[in-house]
């Protein structure tokens, strides 16, 4: 900046001064809580802008960063995530968002194949043995239970009977399958 000083008789002189402008004000970090769903493989990914709730800075925001961006089955429930907001002059501030991770994917279940037995004349039923259903889930299976029909080893009557199995994963999601005897 050039400063000019003039006296009452019109004489003047100048000097140069350096003015340094500093931005020492941190940006205003604003977080928002979000909910994410795990995919079929049991994973979820977020980016910093997902938890940014409108952070601001008078000089402009250079970057947003988060400390956790991937989640899996072990993260089902609430998880704190720290958002760091950095302005164009290197000032930064943080806030904490809550990321709620949900598993809404039902397990995959497979029942034994349908069983057909020949009908012997004069016989009113047959003993039938079958295996359990199998199930898989990215986060794990809690139970696979027969929920309808006669159990394996029972004498099934002539005609068609339905057997049902239900699989429940560790997060309470269920799937059923049926087969006929």
């Amino acid at each position: 900046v050039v400063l000019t000083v003039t006296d009452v008789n019109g004489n003047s002189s100048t000097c140069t001064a350096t003015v340094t402008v500093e931005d020492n004000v941190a940006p205003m970090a604003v977080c928002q809580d979000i909910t994410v769903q795990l995919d079929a493989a049991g994973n979820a990914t977020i980016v910093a802008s997902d938890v940014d709730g409108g952070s601001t800075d008078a000089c402009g925001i250079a970057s947003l960063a988060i400390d956790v961006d991937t989640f899996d089955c072990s993260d089902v429930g609430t998880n704190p995530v720290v958002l760091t907001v950095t302005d164009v002059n290197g000032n930064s501030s943080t806030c904490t968002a809550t990321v709620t991770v949900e598993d809404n994917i039902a397990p995959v279940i497979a029942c034994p194949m349908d069983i057909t037995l020949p009908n012997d004349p004069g016989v009113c039923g047959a003993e039938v043995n079958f295996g359990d259903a199998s199930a898989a889930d990215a986060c794990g299976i809690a139970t696979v239970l027969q929920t309808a029909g006669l159990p394996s080893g029972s004498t099934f009557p002539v005609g068609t009977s339905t057997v049902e199995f239900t699989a429940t994963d560790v997060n309470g999601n269920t799937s059923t399958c049926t087969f006929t005897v």
Side-chain angles (χ1 to χ4, degrees):
V1 174
V2 176
L3 173 65
T4 303
V5 177
T6 305
D7 67 17
V8 292
N9 294 313
N11 300 308
S12 64
S13 66
T14 62
C15 67
T16 302
T18 300
V19 177
T20 303
V21 178
E22 294 181 347
D23 173 12
N24 293 318
V25 178
M28 173 71 75
V30 179
C31 284
Q32 66 179 355
D33 298 340
I34 63 170
T35 299
V36 296
Q37 310 297 323
L38 295 177
D39 62 17
N43 300 304
T45 303
I46 64 170
V47 294
S49 60
D50 292 335
V51 296
D52 179 39
S55 301
T56 59
D57 186 83
C59 295
I61 294 175
S63 67
L64 301 172
I66 49 178
D67 64 339
V68 179
D69 64 358
T70 57
F71 302 92
D72 61 26
C73 296
S74 66
D75 299 308
V76 170
T78 58
N79 302 272
V81 173
V82 177
L83 172 69
T84 301
V85 180
T86 305
D87 70 15
V88 295
N89 294 303
N91 301 301
S92 64
S93 62
T94 62
C95 60
T96 302
T98 299
V99 176
T100 302
V101 177
E102 295 180 344
D103 170 19
N104 293 322
I105 304 290
V108 175
I109 188 170
C111 272
M113 296 185 63
D114 290 345
I115 300 170
T116 303
L117 300 172
N119 186 18
D120 293 333
V123 177
C124 296
E127 182 179 314
V128 177
N129 292 296
F130 51 84
D132 289 335
S134 61
D137 186 87
C139 292
I141 296 295
T143 60
V144 177
L145 302 172
Q146 184 178 343
T147 52
L150 295 171
S152 179
S154 296
T155 300
F156 281 73
V158 172
T160 302
S161 300
T162 301
V163 177
E164 177 183 86
F165 280 90
T166 300
T168 305
D169 71 15
V170 296
N171 293 307
N173 301 301
T174 62
S175 291
T176 61
C177 67
T178 60
F179 68 99
T180 59
V181 175

